[in-house]
Amino acid sequence: MMDNMLYIVPYTAEHGKFILSQQMNHKVLEADRHYINVDGDAKNLVQDHLAFTGIVNYNPIFAAGMKMVWGQVAEGWVIATSEMWKHPLGVAKAIKKDFARVAKENNITRVQSAIRKDFKEGLRFAEWLGLEKEGLMRKWGFDGSDQYMYARLF
């Protein structure tokens, strides 16, 4: 794996701990760092067959997946280090490919995600993944930030 190639593997809490302990992938997201419990949050994202990690040179650079909320409804999530910007197309394509696969293989009918109103790249990425903006949730973020709810139905 020491060849600057992006490898996709099943997500583990250790991957999440590493990613969450690094610099966030965008300055807008730095506000959330004060609310991250690295051990707890990394473990909380582990659900069998619902998450994956992108690794370059033995280091996790991003992880993405879904967390079941109830029934066939899941919350989509992505965490990433600033290193992901060295492989933006590979990361984006991997997430898009596995996003739909995970939903279909697990009979998920709705995937939703809250995205900071001021995180323009995140909003564009959600729309590129096929999620639709449903509405503004005022003061919903950890730091009281406004966030949009996005969702995709399968």
Side-chain angles (χ1 to χ4, degrees), residues 46-47 53 62 69 134:
V46 176
Q47 270 192 333
T53 303
F62 83 92
V69 177
E134 292 188 325

Side-chain angles (χ1 to χ4, degrees), residues 44-151:
N44 186 41
L45 296 174
V46 176
Q47 270 192 333
D48 288 344
H49 311 294
L50 292 181
F52 52 93
T53 303
I55 295 180
V56 175
N57 297 331
Y58 300 105
N59 290 316
I61 64 167
F62 83 92
M66 297 174 198
K67 188 85 173 145
M68 296 308 298
V69 177
W70 55 74
Q72 295 173 298
V73 176
E75 189 81 18
W77 58 269
V78 175
I79 56 176
T81 70
S82 59
E83 288 294 306
M84 63 87 54
W85 293 112
K86 293 180 181 176
H87 308 273
L89 290 176
V91 169
K93 287 179 181 180
I95 292 172
K96 187 169 189 170
K97 175 185 167 208
D98 283 337
F99 177 77
R101 178 192 58 78
V102 167
K104 290 175 184 172
E105 286 177 1
N106 292 280
N107 297 315
I108 294 169
T109 58
R110 175 187 170 89
V111 177
Q112 62 188 34
S113 188
I115 302 164
R116 293 177 65 96
K117 179 182 175 183
D118 55 350
F119 185 27
K120 303 299 181 204
E121 292 87 344
L123 299 172
R124 280 197 317 267
F125 187 63
E127 291 172 3
W128 182 73
L129 289 174
L131 283 80
E132 296 180 18
K133 187 188 302 183
E134 292 188 325
L136 180 64
M137 301 183 300
R138 293 189 178 142
K139 298 192 181 292
W140 197 85
F142 294 121
D143 61 347
S145 61
D146 294 345
Q147 300 199 5
Y148 285 109
M149 176 60 75
Y150 273 79

